[in-house]
Amino acid sequence: MRVAIFASGTGSNFTAICDAALEDVEVVLAFSDQPTAGVVDLARRRDIPTVTFSPRNFDTRLAYEEALVGMVRQARADLIVLAGYMRIIQGPLLAAYPGAIVNIHPSLLPAFPGKDAIGQAFSAGVETTGVTVHYVDAGMDTGPIIAQHPVAMCSELKDLEAAIHQAEHTIYPQVIAQLAKG
Ligand code: GRF
């Protein structure tokens, strides 16, 4: 399975997926909408074909998405993996890759969708939060759930963040391996 990873940030999930060296999975493309994001450097150092451009480079959001479709098709990717990609996926990409775009979110969806999910769960004082891998639809963190992993609440936010990220780095490669097996 040929995988394209989209990321906007530091790229720890990108690294976890690459380091897992999954059987039958090849990371064929790293894309970032943030040219200076940490993930760009990580991908280049791994010699993974890396592309960056921003919606600001296009007249419309539609044109940006169409450029994404062209890029992913050119890489002949079978699956698009969102790993901290901070944008809503729109029509053209969803239509071009139906059921083939996945995302990871740092909460037990449907609880705490959107930004700062870890902080939201911490402030709410829930006993258990966690991570969710789901298929992507046009909503924000609303697509069908593939897998979830619970994480117990911590007394410090930074400890909760570390526990959530550790869970992400375990579950995301596992789910991708499962998808590769069909
Ligand atoms: C992760 O917490 C992920 O769940 C969320 O964005 C964060 C990305 O972190 N969607 P990283 O860039 O993979 O380190």
Side-chain angles (χ1 to χ4, degrees):
M1 188 173 67
R2 295 171 64 84
V3 171
I5 301 181
F6 286 20
S8 306
T10 53
S12 69
N13 281 284
F14 167 84
T15 299
I17 294 162
C18 293
D19 282 354
L22 303 168
E23 215 179 300
D24 301 327
V25 173
E26 189 185 352
V27 179
V28 295
L29 172 70
F31 169 73
S32 184
D33 57 323
Q34 305 290 337
T36 59
V39 67
V40 172
D41 196 37
L42 292 173
R44 289 198 171 127
R45 274 197 258 153
R46 285 176 184 266
D47 288 331
I48 291 171
T50 305
V51 177
T52 77
F53 53 78
S54 143
R56 284 195 297 273
N57 307 132
F58 296 83
D59 289 338
T60 61
R61 281 297 167 102
L62 201 65
Y64 168 71
E65 276 258 339
E66 278 162 1
L68 293 178
V69 172
M71 172 192 74
V72 178
R73 284 209 170 118
Q74 201 179 359
R76 292 182 292 113
D78 306 304
L79 181 73
I80 300 173
V81 170
L82 308 185
Y85 178 66
M86 301 303 284
R87 293 183 187 280
I88 300 274
I89 298 290
Q90 295 180 336
L93 205 55
L94 289 172
Y97 285 84
I101 310 176
V102 296
N103 181 42
I104 191 159
H105 183 77
S107 76
L108 294 177
L109 290 171
F112 311 120
K115 283 192 179 156
D116 190 25
I118 306 175
Q120 289 185 55
F122 187 78
S123 303
V126 291
E127 269 178 36
T128 306
T129 180
V131 307
T132 301
V133 180
H134 64 95
Y135 288 109
V136 172
D137 64 12
M140 186 184 279
D141 306 322
T142 50
I145 290 171
I146 304 170
Q148 293 187 303
H149 193 295
V151 173
M153 182 50 71
C154 303
S155 52
E156 302 281 337
L157 178 59
K158 66 172 178 21
D159 295 336
L160 182 62
E161 285 169 349
I164 292 274
H165 293 311
Q166 196 180 19
E168 288 184 334
H169 301 160
T170 306
I171 193 176
Y172 218 2
Q174 282 174 357
V175 168
I176 294 165
Q178 258 176 36
L179 293 175
K181 288 201 181 101

